[in-house]
């Protein structure tokens, strides 16, 4: 059974609903995980999604900031809206969804960006980010013969040398500092997660999912970073059939600075 999951930091779901609709019409993922929705739950645009056939909706939102949502064309069941670092800032949502003969536990994450100064002593936002990633060590890739786990989202860290446009120039820039990338990889390994986007892609190949709004010509300069990720439990790797980074979406009307990533599975 073909099964697809899209993840996208949309940077305000209400503001960018036209391009969300475009994604759903043109690519029709079975499940869409959104981050940075910037809307309280009571104002989430459910009708727009239902009109497009995405009648199963879960959200964990907050006015003006953060927020995650998962919408699907098939039934989903909310498992948890976890609070990290004793702060209620709407950065996690997990649901279960049936696909083929398996129940998939799907985590949708929006990790804090961390501010501008990569020093936890003087920058509380950076400390929050490091603490958040440390708590994510508890999120494990649970699986057995009839179940598996997938973790997606804007994790706000580009872990590998070629996940950024210049490893050397970004070593002291938040999202690619050694303390972030080392803790990030340790957390992934602690949870027994597989980085699906790098599974069959050489580490020397550049992969980006984000291009700054500050660039005059994002496409020409191509100074990107891979901040959006798709992970799975080991038992889903044989069913993973590939993924697509929708780079062209960065040029859509009123775009997010992130683009969608669509992961595809062929589940028995």
């Amino acid at each position: 059974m073909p099964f697809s999951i899209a993840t996208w930091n949309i940077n305000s779901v209400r503001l960018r609903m036209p391009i969300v609709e475009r994604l759903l019409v043109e690519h029709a993922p079975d499940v869409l995980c959104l981050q940075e929705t910037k809307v309280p739950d009571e104002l989430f645009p459910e009708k727009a999604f239902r009109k497009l056939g995405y009648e199963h909706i879960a959200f964990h939102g907050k006015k003006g900031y953060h927020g995650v949502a998962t919408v699907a064309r098939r039934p989903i069941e909310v498992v948890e809206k976890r609070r990290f670092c004793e702060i209620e800032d709407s950065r996690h949502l997990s649901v279960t969804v049936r696909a083929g003969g398996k129940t998939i536990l799907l985590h949708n994450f929006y990790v804090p960006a961390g501010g501008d100064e990569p020093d936890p002593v003087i920058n509380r936002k950076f400390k929050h980010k490091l603490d958040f990633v440390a708590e994510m060590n508890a999120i494990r890739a649970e699986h057995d013969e009839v179940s598996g786990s997938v973790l997606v989202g804007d994790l706000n860290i580009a872990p590998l040398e070629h996940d950024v446009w210049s490893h050397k120039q970004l070593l002291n820039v938040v999202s690619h500092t050694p303390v972030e990338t080392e803790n990030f990889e340790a957390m992934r390994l602690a949870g027994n997660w597989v980085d699906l986007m790098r599974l069959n892609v050489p580490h020397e190949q550049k992969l980006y999912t984000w291009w700054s709004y500050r660039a005059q010509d994002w496409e020409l300069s191509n100074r990107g970073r891979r901040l959006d990720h798709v992970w799975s439990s080991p038992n889903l790797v044989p069913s993973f059939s590939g993924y697509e980074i929708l780079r062209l979406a960065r040029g859509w009307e009123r775009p997010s600075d992130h683009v969608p990533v669509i992961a595809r599975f062929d589940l028995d």
Side-chain angles (χ1 to χ4, degrees), residues 6-231:
T7 180
W8 194 4
N9 177 317
I10 196 57
N11 191 16
S12 177
V13 65
R14 289 184 293 176
L15 179 65
R16 303 191 206 284
M17 199 62 212
I19 60 174
V20 174
E21 291 173 348
R22 179 173 176 177
L23 171 74
L24 297 180
V25 169
E26 293 183 2
H27 296 275
D30 292 295
V31 182
L32 170 62
C33 294
L34 296 170
Q35 302 87 40
E36 204 171 355
T37 54
K38 294 183 175 179
V39 60
D41 291 348
E42 63 270 18
L43 296 180
F44 189 85
E46 294 186 61
K47 290 183 179 179
F49 286 99
R50 296 185 193 281
K51 186 177 179 180
L52 293 168
Y54 290 78
E55 297 188 358
H56 307 280
I57 301 170
F59 34 67
H60 185 195
K62 183 177 180 179
K63 182 180 179 180
Y65 298 93
H66 321 136
V68 290
T70 300
V71 302
R73 296 191 294 172
R74 61 183 69 195
I76 58 176
E77 182 175 339
V78 174
V79 175
E80 185 178 19
K81 300 177 182 180
R82 184 176 293 210
R83 183 172 72 168
F84 285 77
C85 305
E86 295 302 316
I87 299 173
E88 183 51 71
D89 55 358
S90 305
R91 294 183 178 274
H92 170 264
L93 171 66
S94 62
V95 304
T96 54
V97 58
R98 291 282 300 174
K102 285 189 169 58
T103 297
I104 307 299
L105 175 61
L106 174 59
H107 292 277
N108 182 359
F109 267 101
Y110 177 37
V111 171
D116 296 323
E117 182 61 50
D119 184 339
V121 175
I122 63 175
N123 179 6
R124 62 179 180 81
K125 291 183 178 179
F126 192 67
K127 182 180 185 303
H128 179 209
K129 183 177 191 175
L130 297 181
D131 291 344
F132 193 103
V133 170
E135 284 194 23
M136 284 180 67
N137 277 266
I139 306 296
R140 302 303 173 99
E142 301 173 17
H143 64 282
D144 57 27
E145 292 183 359
V146 295
S147 68
S149 295
V150 174
L151 187 156
V152 303
D154 175 8
L155 305 187
N156 259 317
I157 294 173
L160 302 178
E161 178 177 349
H162 295 287
D163 287 340
V164 294
W165 64 272
S166 173
H167 172 64
K168 183 177 180 180
Q169 294 185 64
L170 294 181
L171 273 174
N172 292 314
V173 174
V174 173
S175 79
H176 192 61
T177 64
V179 66
E180 291 173 272
T181 59
E182 290 168 10
N183 289 354
F184 185 83
E185 182 65 2
M187 176 267 291
R188 184 185 68 81
L189 293 174
N192 198 25
W193 293 102
V194 178
D195 179 357
L196 295 180
M197 293 176 70
R198 281 293 185 184
L199 190 62
N200 298 310
V201 177
H203 283 203
E204 295 74 27
Q205 181 176 325
K206 295 286 190 181
L207 283 183
Y208 308 145
T209 64
W210 174 92
W211 292 263
S212 175
Y213 284 133
R214 296 176 184 176
Q216 286 189 327
D217 188 332
W218 70 271
E219 193 168 21
L220 181 63
S221 63
N222 198 31
R223 294 186 170 189
R225 306 179 201 178
R226 182 172 72 115
L227 302 180
D228 305 272
H229 298 265
V230 180
W231 298 351

